Amino acid sequence: DVKVTQSSRYLVKRTGEKVFLECVQDMDHENMFWYRQDPGLGLRLIYFSYDVKMKEKGDIPEGYSVSREKKERFSLILESASTNQTSMYLCASSQSYGYTFGSGTRLTVV
Amino acid sequence: KQEVTQIPAALSVPEGENLVLNCSFTDSAIYNLQWFRQDPGKGLTSLLLIQSSQREQTSGRLNASLDKSSGRSTLYIAASQPGDSATYLCAASSGGSYIPTFGRGTSLIVHP
């Protein structure tokens, strides 16, 4: 069964910390995505990548960066975590046959 | 720019009912439309994917239809069960972009 794996289900970090969220897919998909999901705001695209070492800003990239050194791995980096980055973070990958999502990481910044 | 709307935002039905969830989109030049299920605190699980050349897809008790001319997709759930309780989201990809536009979802509760 194809999978997108997010390394952590729950994370609690302190304000100002550098935070890494990891995502790995085993489907050899070209495209990978990071979203955040907040009540009342729906899914918002942070960054996406259509190839190794390529990245594109989504709708809300401020305060985030990404890294894609290998095809299967796409990392989201919070350079200096802030309380307004408390959210559910969802990773996805896609090819021609639609999206596959990971199980999500609930990040709390205190 | 594609806009996707899901109405109603919330729905509560008794077990056993057949129900229809609606998804409308503004740009009819869609590439595909995908339905997802999301349980509380979890990621999205893909239910059905309809390519632009297709009219419907079926999986078990679920049937999704696509009408590009009217800008609508429906997800039909037959003989609903309490385990169907979740949020259902649709997402439309259009204009040659592989980045879909998501609706806000319909929160479904099926009570025994």
Side-chain angles (χ1 to χ4, degrees), chain A residues 40-110:
Chain A
L41 296 177
L43 282 161
R44 292 182 291 170
L45 182 63
I46 304 171
Y47 267 97
F48 62 100
S49 168
Y50 52 88
D51 202 352
V52 176
K53 297 190 185 295
M54 305 301 288
K55 60 184 179 183
E56 295 285 344
K57 294 179 180 179
D59 299 320
I60 52 164
E62 296 79 19
Y64 303 94
S65 62
V66 291
S67 172
R68 193 165 181 203
E69 296 296 319
K70 294 184 178 181
K71 190 176 186 179
E72 67 271 19
R73 185 179 297 270
F74 192 36
S75 302
L76 180 69
I77 304 158
L78 286 65
E79 298 291 343
S80 177
S82 63
T83 55
N84 63 13
Q85 292 179 310
T86 292
S87 186
M88 169 68 93
Y89 289 87
L90 294 165
C91 175
S93 71
S94 78
Q95 201 76 3
S96 306
Y97 304 107
Y99 268 34
T100 301
F101 277 85
S103 55
T105 296
R106 171 69 65 182
L107 173 67
T108 302
V109 182
V110 298

Side-chain angles (χ1 to χ4, degrees), chain B residues 7-80:
Chain B
I7 296 174
L11 185 63
S12 180
V13 299
E15 181 176 5
E17 270 203 13
N18 301 323
L19 56 98
V20 174
L21 306 182
N22 296 297
C23 172
S24 61
F25 46 91
T26 55
D27 183 355
S28 61
I30 66 169
Y31 181 64
N32 60 45
L33 189 134
Q34 194 166 4
W35 281 93
F36 296 89
R37 167 187 173 136
Q38 186 176 31
D39 294 292
K42 302 286 181 66
L44 279 66
T45 300
S46 179
L47 297 174
L48 291 164
L49 172 69
I50 311 175
Q51 301 288 359
S52 62
S53 58
Q54 299 171 322
R55 292 298 301 271
E56 64 179 312
Q57 284 284 342
T58 298
S59 176
R61 294 182 294 108
L62 305 179
N63 175 277
S65 67
L66 175 64
D67 184 345
K68 291 189 296 180
S69 62
S70 66
R72 292 184 63 186
S73 177
T74 60
L75 179 66
Y76 175 83
I77 303 176
S80 59

Side-chain angles (χ1 to χ4, degrees), chain A residues 6-61:
Chain A
Q6 294 184 233
S7 54
S8 303
R9 289 283 286 120
Y10 300 96
L11 275 179
V12 180
K13 297 293 182 180
R14 296 193 178 277
T15 301
E17 276 193 74
K18 190 169 187 176
V19 181
F20 293 85
L21 302 183
E22 305 289 344
C23 176
V24 177
Q25 52 101 356
D26 65 0
M27 297 165 284
D28 202 36
H29 282 174
E30 301 287 340
N31 310 315
M32 296 188 73
F33 309 81
W34 276 105
Y35 290 87
R36 63 178 284 178
Q37 186 178 34
D38 302 285
L41 296 177
L43 282 161
R44 292 182 291 170
L45 182 63
I46 304 171
Y47 267 97
F48 62 100
S49 168
Y50 52 88
D51 202 352
V52 176
K53 297 190 185 295
M54 305 301 288
K55 60 184 179 183
E56 295 285 344
K57 294 179 180 179
D59 299 320
I60 52 164

